[in-house]
Amino acid sequence: MRTKGFTLIELMIVIAIIGILALIAVPNFVSLRAKAYNASAQSAGYNTRVSQELYYQNTGGGTTAAYASRLQDLLSMDPNLNEDPGVTFIFGSCNNSGYTFSTRHLKGDNDYIWTN
């Protein structure tokens, strides 16, 4: 009588193939995650900059410093500007010649600097 099943050699070959595929796929997956985190930080910074400039134009202008100082207020007024809680904003200089702020995701590896 012959029994049906897999031999130990066949199972070891299948496990070896799965291991090789995992070694190839895991590093690619990790780099894709970092790119996604960086894209989130870049998107949040861009949205904030555009919102600040629209706010500046819609309220009649004024000094750049007065409106640039309200970047932090914009983030609290419009929660859609920063949908990812992992993105941090660092506000830099703010004067009549413009403003500077940067964005970075906590799990990303790039800083994005925004100026006007």
Side-chain angles (χ1 to χ4, degrees):
M1 173 186 265
R2 184 168 178 148
T3 60
K4 294 183 179 182
F6 297 105
T7 65
L8 183 60
I9 300 282
E10 291 171 334
L11 291 175
M12 288 176 57
I13 290 172
V14 169
I15 290 173
I17 291 171
I18 291 172
I20 291 169
L21 291 175
L23 286 174
I24 294 170
V26 169
N28 291 334
F29 178 70
V30 170
S31 69
L32 287 176
R33 286 181 53 188
K35 286 180 184 178
Y37 292 135
N38 290 336
S40 180
Q42 191 174 19
S43 175
Y46 178 79
N47 290 341
T48 302
R49 186 185 73 176
V50 169
S51 294
Q52 188 275 336
E53 291 173 5
L54 287 172
Y55 179 71
Y56 178 80
Q57 291 173 0
N58 289 338
T59 55
T63 64
T64 304
Y67 289 95
S69 66
R70 295 192 176 105
L71 277 171
Q72 293 160 319
D73 295 337
L74 281 173
L75 288 172
S76 63
M77 289 186 327
D78 188 358
N80 293 327
L81 287 176
N82 185 17
E83 295 176 347
D84 189 345
V87 175
T88 58
F89 287 81
I90 300 169
F91 294 94
S93 65
C94 176
N95 52 41
N96 284 332
S97 63
Y99 61 85
T100 301
F101 70 95
S102 66
T103 56
R104 179 183 181 93
H105 197 284
L106 297 174
K107 295 180 181 178
D109 55 6
N110 284 343
D111 290 326
Y112 296 95
I113 299 172
W114 304 90
T115 59
N116 182 11

